[in-house]
Amino acid sequence: QKEVEQDPGPLSVPEGAIVSLNCTYSNSAFQYFMWYRQYSRKGPELLMYTYSSGNKEDGRFTAQVDKSSKYISLFIRDSQPSDSATYLCAMSAIGGNYGQNFVFGPGTRLSVLP
Amino acid sequence: DTEVTQTPKHLVMGMTNKKSLKCEQHMGHRAMYWYKQKAKKPPELMFVYSYEKLSINESVPSRFSPECPNSSLLNLHLHALQPEDSALYLCASSPRFQRGGIEDTQYFGPGTRLTVL
């Protein structure tokens, strides 16, 4: 089992749809969760980060963490064609070697169709 | 300012060339990273510098040689590369390394797209 799993996509939705992007993880030491957006041929851009279980909202984006289920989600409301990108979840723990400390998910490619 | 800059944006080199990639940040971060990213894959960690000292080398071939001249700069020296080394090379920085939590948050540069002929 991979340490962090993520639906690979590609995911295609019509403009205005609500998008749900998800990651599951196996290491309960992960305590800090991030979402990055990466446009084609560009570097990843930090979108949101959160510590605790529950929801965190920033504009059209909501990050949700359920530590008991080891499951995190990113919701995008009123999706726009400009949201078309690859979304990477990442998570961090305290201690351990790097491989356990900060891990990226494999990424989900999202296309929002006009 | 959460900007990490990388130069050049694009690089084409032959297998016998020597070239360098450069990365700079002025956020006061004390950890800097090199990643390699192939198409449709997540970034793969190559090197980590913490307080200008090499902390992690993920068994990267010696044809890649990192250097951290000061806390703001990170270089990657390239020599005798192979065509399979063609990829997007990303630099990132974070406030600290292996502290857990917000101090591990990495900020990425735009990358250098490297093509080895």
Side-chain angles (χ1 to χ4, degrees), chain B residues 27-31 33 51 93-97 99 102-107:
Chain B
M27 295 179 276
H29 290 175
R30 300 314 297 270
Y33 309 75
Y51 289 87
S93 71
S94 66
R96 299 293 183 269
F97 176 57
R99 295 291 182 88
I102 194 170
E103 290 196 301
D104 284 1
T105 302
Q106 294 181 32
Y107 295 86

Side-chain angles (χ1 to χ4, degrees), chain A residues 32 34 36 38 41-46 49 51 88 92-99 101-102 104-107 109, chain B residues 33 35 37 40-43 45 48 56 58 88 90 97-102 104-111 113:
Chain A
Y32 180 68
M34 291 149 279
Y36 287 84
Q38 186 174 22
R41 297 175 172 262
K42 302 289 185 184
E45 169 195 8
L46 180 67
Y49 60 82
Y51 278 103
L88 297 151
S92 170
I94 297 176
N97 62 31
Y98 183 88
N101 203 68
F102 189 101
F104 279 103
R109 283 198 298 138
Chain B
Y33 309 75
Y35 286 86
Q37 188 177 29
K40 300 183 182 180
K41 298 289 185 183
L45 181 68
V48 181
I56 298 282
E58 290 285 14
L88 182 67
L90 293 162
F97 176 57
Q98 283 195 327
R99 295 291 182 88
I102 194 170
D104 284 1
T105 302
Q106 294 181 32
Y107 295 86
F108 284 82
R113 180 146 312 270

Side-chain angles (χ1 to χ4, degrees), chain A residues 41-42, chain B residues 6-12 21 111-115:
Chain A
R41 297 175 172 262
K42 302 289 185 184
Chain B
Q6 288 186 246
T7 55
K9 290 184 180 178
H10 302 276
L11 179 62
V12 179
L21 309 184
T112 293
R113 180 146 312 270
L114 174 68
T115 303

